[in-house]
Amino acid sequence: MKHLAHLLLSIALCAVAAHAAPIKVASLNPIVSDLARQVGGTDVEVFDLMPLGSNPHTFNPTPDDLKIASNAQIILAAGKGLETYLEDVIQSLGDIPVFEAGRSVPSLRVEVGEVFICCPAHAAGSIDPHWWHSVKSAKRAAKGIADKLAEIDAGNAEAYDTRYRAYAEKLDGLYKWAKSEISRIPRRDRELTTSHAAFGYLCREFGLRSITIQGLNTEDNPNPSHLKDVVKTLEKQDVRAVFPEDNANPKVMSGMVRETGVKVGGKLYAGTLPPASPTYVDMVRSNITTIVNSLAGNP
Amino acid sequence: MRFRFVVAVVVLSVVVSISHAEESGPKEPEWVAPTGTLGPLDFTPSAHFNGAIGNSSGDTEELAVGHHDPTREDGTVQGIEVGLSLRAGPVEGYAVHTFSYGAGEEWENEWEEAFLKLRDIPGGFELRGGRMFARFGRQNAKHLHAWDFADMPLVWGRFLGDDGLITDGGDVTWLKQGIGTTYGITAGYGDAKSHAHDHGHVDHGEEEHEDGEHHEEEHGKDHDGGEEVLFSDGVGSGRAFAQYRRNDYNSFEAGVSLALGEDEAERQLVVAGADFSYTWRENGLEPGGRAVTWLTEVLYRDVEAGETEHGEHEEHGEHEEHEAQGEHEAHADDTLPGGSEWGLYSQVVYTHNRHLDTGLRVGYVAGDDALASSDRFRVSPAITTYLDPFRRVMLRVQYNYDDIQGAGEEHSVWLQAGLSWGGAEVR
């Protein structure tokens, strides 16, 4: 009887231990971390290697970060070339699988996408890595993460799927809300002027025209002729507001504002989450609200 | 001897290609695709050369279906395309002049395209006006330098002419682009460019009419011996398409096209088409890596029966004059036949790396006795090697197996060379 009790206790402890031990996930991007938390719930423990507020274009994992990552069962990245160091991470961590969440998302090019091309050789162009500014793309990425987690933790596959479905519904609601908000901006004012080319996906998804002062990277310095063109465009199209971003070089935008007298809108989150409420949904809500308030005015 | 030369060049090219297979991510020098600025205008020049030599068991000229197809065993300059693209905000333009030397044994030159385009019109519209390749199907809008094979698909030459459908007119396109999806509808109207290339044919059905007008080819035979029935003035054409990128690695495109008009003899023509393609790319939108593209286009043509000029003359009371001149025998039948035909081509191109593609194209056109056109089947395997990682210097070897109803089987081998310079062209 005593042996049976020990046996039952051991089995119960093992079961509890197995259930209680979440998968260790190391993430190289805070937005991807949030998606993983949403679909992983209590079955995952996510370690953010990139601190909130860091610039994803300049971040590089330290040896300490790599040490944390070496204990993870999976490493998540945003992908699409954003993590220029990813190849090094893969090599130094050996067998730990690396999953690029943006891989399942169709890319946009930074240049205005030409539909009619002369030949395949001229279809090239830089890929815009900021896929998370499309809510539909984030939904796809969340599905990819849920599937990947289910692959390495088959016992909880159903739980990942259930959480993904619930989160997908939330994102569908977010998309509808954002679309309705953007519709409040008069069509002629649907111009989003930002420091760097980070909001192409948002513009494409919600029908805004994108004007960028810098290039793809926040470190880029625009050339004088491009700046001249931007000033001309802002004046000609009577653009209502320009939007500074987290991590972008403020000098360039200040100069532009001085020269054109255009209003400065609120700050947009381009590559990180709002510190007060660090979730993807709140980042989108914050960005859309900021844009609408500046371009449509408060109701 | 020439065949050995072709084989030697191809073997050498493939070896070079494989030896460069691991080369990755080089940056193209600026001089290869220069862009100039003049005030608000950005201009991009381009120049392309394509030529071919080869061997054929048949009459190369009769086997060719396109104006730029190889027609001389000793060497065809399929095309030297000299073009200029202009961009000034939403206004763009493109013009290309093409030189070629083929079976006619003399240099030909023509403006293939010269148009202006206004893009980003509110609502997602764009307008084009001038001479342009009609947005009809997939093959039609491609210049020679963008072809995947050394020659034009059978069905294209027979139904739309040896240059495809080029119109002097205008079109309007509506585009709706999302992330991963693009929808478009184009409607255009214009006069079809005349099909008056000199292929050097001596028995091509040319007629000298009583008014002395020389209707070269237009009332003649096509390359398969059938009546050439092609659009003339006043062609309306349209295309609707949808592109879907599931992700960066898998993409699909499907479209339907329609062209309506008349031929020189005022017979009503309708050409309808449907196309589908799938592309897988190992590196997604990044250059390099392996890739597969499968493209299929099906075309159907309906030709309404019409009257000959002789028949029309009868209505105008000119019949007696012909009889008096004893010409009635030459116009024994006063009606021009009508009929319907269909055809298709399907091709797969596998990209091994930046330097090597292999392709296979199968084409078929069903003849119609009433139109005196014959069935024709062609299989074309091809190996294309690029000597540089930017795909500017190309060598392609292509074998054509032809089976033509009433003419039998023919075999051809072509070695095609291509040089390409310049940046993206306005389309």
Side-chain angles (χ1 to χ4, degrees):
Chain A
M1 192 63 190
K2 203 175 170 183
H3 287 298
L4 184 64
H6 278 154
L7 184 65
L8 287 174
L9 185 64
S10 305
I11 291 171
L13 282 174
C14 285
V16 168
H19 185 73
I23 297 178
K24 286 190 170 132
V25 177
S27 171
L28 294 161
N29 184 288
I31 294 155
V32 175
S33 303
D34 182 52
L35 299 184
R37 287 190 181 101
Q38 299 297 333
V39 298
T42 52
D43 293 320
V44 298
E45 187 179 1
V46 182
F47 298 95
D48 282 294
L49 301 183
M50 181 180 137
L52 205 59
S54 300
N55 184 342
H57 292 290
T58 53
F59 170 75
N60 252 304
T62 62
D64 285 347
D65 293 331
L66 292 178
K67 205 172 164 188
I68 295 169
S70 66
N71 294 319
Q73 284 152 281
I74 183 168
I75 295 162
L76 299 179
K80 296 204 186 297
L82 184 68
E83 294 91 357
T84 49
Y85 50 81
L86 198 58
E87 207 51 48
D88 296 337
V89 170
I90 291 169
Q91 278 183 8
S92 60
L93 295 179
D95 294 338
I96 302 172
V98 174
F99 181 70
E100 296 178 52
R103 197 178 162 85
S104 60
V105 172
S107 301
L108 291 182
R109 295 185 192 280
V110 177
E111 292 81 9
V112 175
E114 288 283 357
V115 176
F116 304 106
I117 53 166
C118 57
C119 54
H122 288 127
S126 306
I127 288 174
D128 183 346
H130 308 86
W131 53 264
W132 51 86
H133 290 301
S134 151
V135 178
K136 287 184 176 176
S137 298
K139 187 176 154 185
R140 275 190 190 214
K143 171 79 173 130
I145 294 169
D147 289 348
K148 195 69 193 172
L149 292 174
E151 197 181 301
I152 57 175
D153 182 19
N156 288 314
E158 210 177 312
Y160 294 123
D161 188 53
T162 305
R163 280 192 216 99
Y164 162 70
R165 284 173 194 281
Y167 190 55
E169 257 182 53
K170 199 172 178 180
L171 294 181
D172 287 343
L174 179 69
Y175 173 80
K176 279 182 196 157
W177 170 82
K179 207 162 173 63
S180 147
E181 284 295 294
I182 295 286
S183 70
R184 289 171 44 210
I185 305 171
R187 281 190 184 276
R188 65 177 182 280
D189 291 331
R190 290 185 192 170
E191 261 131 9
L192 184 65
T193 308
T194 56
S195 301
H196 89 294
F199 294 91
Y201 290 85
L202 187 149
C203 289
R204 179 66 67 83
E205 189 155 272
F206 298 114
L208 297 164
R209 288 175 294 279
S210 170
I211 300 171
T212 57
I213 297 167
Q214 290 163 275
L216 183 62
N217 194 308
T218 49
E219 299 294 293
D220 289 348
N221 277 318
N223 67 49
S225 74
H226 175 66
L227 274 181
K228 218 167 141 186
D229 285 348
V230 173
V231 168
K232 230 190 269 176
T233 306
L234 295 181
E235 287 172 346
K236 196 175 152 196
Q237 301 193 16
D238 197 18
V239 169
R240 294 189 63 160
V242 295
F243 297 88
E245 303 154 33
D246 54 305
N247 300 315
N249 178 355
K251 277 187 201 162
V252 181
M253 183 158 278
S254 317
M256 186 83 42
V257 168
R258 269 201 307 277
E259 199 165 334
T260 60
V262 69
K263 181 173 88 179
V264 180
K267 191 170 87 170
L268 299 180
Y269 295 98
T272 189
L273 299 172
S277 176
T279 67
Y280 172 73
V281 169
D282 284 334
M283 180 198 79
V284 174
R285 282 191 174 274
S286 169
N287 283 346
I288 296 289
T289 304
T290 302
I291 292 166
V292 173
N293 284 348
S294 299
L295 297 183
N298 282 311
Chain B
M1 185 63 191
R2 189 182 298 119
F3 182 73
R4 283 184 195 163
F5 171 72
V6 168
V7 170
V9 171
V10 170
V11 169
L12 188 65
S13 309
V14 171
V15 169
V16 169
S17 302
I18 291 167
S19 68
H20 282 79
E22 296 306 316
E23 194 175 332
S24 65
K27 191 166 160 35
E28 192 168 50
E30 273 183 23
W31 64 266
V32 178
T35 296
T37 304
L38 194 65
L41 204 64
D42 289 337
F43 55 92
T44 308
S46 58
H48 308 275
F49 164 85
N50 282 87
I53 60 167
N55 269 111
S56 179
S57 61
D59 181 336
T60 53
E61 193 189 340
E62 287 300 326
L63 290 172
V65 294
H67 174 209
H68 296 299
D69 288 5
T71 48
R72 294 177 75 245
E73 292 187 350
D74 293 336
T76 305
V77 178
Q78 295 175 268
I80 299 170
E81 305 163 52
V82 183
L84 185 68
S85 293
L86 303 170
R87 295 175 176 90
V91 181
E92 298 182 343
Y94 177 61
V96 59
H97 200 82
T98 304
F99 303 83
S100 56
Y101 185 88
E105 309 252 322
E106 61 183 40
W107 283 94
E108 293 178 42
N109 69 90
E110 62 183 343
W111 288 100
E112 280 201 320
E113 286 193 296
F115 64 82
L116 283 175
K117 172 170 147 179
L118 182 61
R119 55 182 290 173
D120 300 334
I121 300 171
F125 291 93
E126 64 176 49
L127 287 172
R128 294 194 305 168
R131 169 173 289 189
M132 59 223 167
F133 286 4
R135 286 179 179 159
F136 180 97
R138 300 287 292 278
Q139 170 70 25
N140 202 69
K142 288 181 188 171
H143 280 282
L144 168 65
H145 71 271
W147 291 3
D148 296 313
F149 290 83
D151 45 21
M152 184 185 265
L154 292 179
V155 65
W156 228 263
R158 184 180 287 188
F159 288 10
L160 293 168
D162 54 10
D163 274 322
L165 183 57
I166 300 177
T167 55
D168 294 329
D171 65 25
V172 57
T173 296
W174 171 79
L175 289 170
K176 173 81 177 165
Q177 287 183 273
I179 296 164
T181 54
T182 302
Y183 307 100
I185 298 173
T186 295
Y189 186 81
D191 293 339
K193 181 174 152 277
S194 65
H195 306 270
H197 297 297
D198 180 7
H199 297 284
H201 293 195
V202 290
D203 56 352
H204 215 277
E206 293 169 15
E207 287 182 69
E208 198 74 39
H209 287 246
E210 65 174 354
D211 58 3
E213 197 179 334
H214 190 69
H215 292 275
E216 191 178 358
E217 284 199 0
E218 289 158 353
H219 291 178
K221 306 283 185 186
D222 72 11
H223 294 263
D224 306 329
E227 292 292 333
E228 202 162 67
V229 185
L230 298 170
F231 286 114
S232 179
D233 296 341
V235 185
S237 64
R239 170 168 167 78
F241 71 91
Q243 295 171 348
Y244 171 64
R245 272 192 299 125
R246 189 168 165 264
N247 47 40
D248 288 359
Y249 310 91
N250 298 277
S251 59
F252 304 84
E253 179 169 342
V256 288
S257 305
L258 187 69
L260 306 160
E262 293 180 342
D263 72 351
E264 279 284 322
E266 297 183 359
R267 279 183 289 183
Q268 286 288 329
L269 302 184
V270 177
V271 179
D275 56 88
F276 174 80
S277 70
Y278 166 70
T279 300
W280 168 81
R281 291 183 59 81
E282 183 182 36
N283 286 6
L285 297 189
E286 298 285 1
R290 293 174 299 150
V292 179
T293 297
W294 170 49
L295 166 66
T296 298
E297 293 201 69
V298 184
L299 264 66
Y300 170 83
R301 177 167 73 167
D302 187 68
V303 183
E304 194 178 76
E307 288 185 327
T308 59
E309 284 185 16
H310 179 65
E312 288 168 10
H313 291 170
E314 276 187 314
E315 288 169 17
H316 297 290
E318 294 173 12
H319 191 58
E320 294 77 9
E321 189 189 334
H322 282 268
E323 282 188 327
Q325 291 170 0
E327 291 177 3
H328 196 247
E329 280 180 8
H331 296 275
D333 188 355
D334 289 342
T335 60
L336 285 167
S340 59
E341 302 166 289
W342 71 277
L344 63 80
Y345 75 92
S346 187
Q347 65 179 55
V348 177
V349 176
Y350 178 71
T351 299
H352 300 260
N353 53 56
R354 288 169 185 268
H355 297 274
L356 184 64
D357 286 355
T358 47
L360 179 68
R361 183 185 62 194
V362 179
Y364 174 74
V365 277
D368 184 323
D369 291 342
L371 295 171
S373 59
S374 51
D375 289 1
R376 183 171 173 183
F377 172 75
R378 187 169 70 184
V379 181
S380 310
I383 298 172
T384 307
T385 64
Y386 297 91
L387 303 185
D388 67 307
F390 317 109
R391 301 198 152 208
R392 298 288 189 170
V393 184
M394 176 274 282
L395 283 174
R396 172 179 291 140
V397 66
Q398 180 175 319
Y399 163 73
N400 283 348
Y401 165 80
D402 267 293
D403 186 359
I404 305 170
Q405 185 185 18
E409 298 175 357
E410 302 290 359
H411 307 269
S412 312
V413 177
W414 296 109
L415 173 66
Q416 185 189 30
L419 292 171
S420 191
W421 174 81
E425 291 155 5
V426 172
R427 303 304 306 138

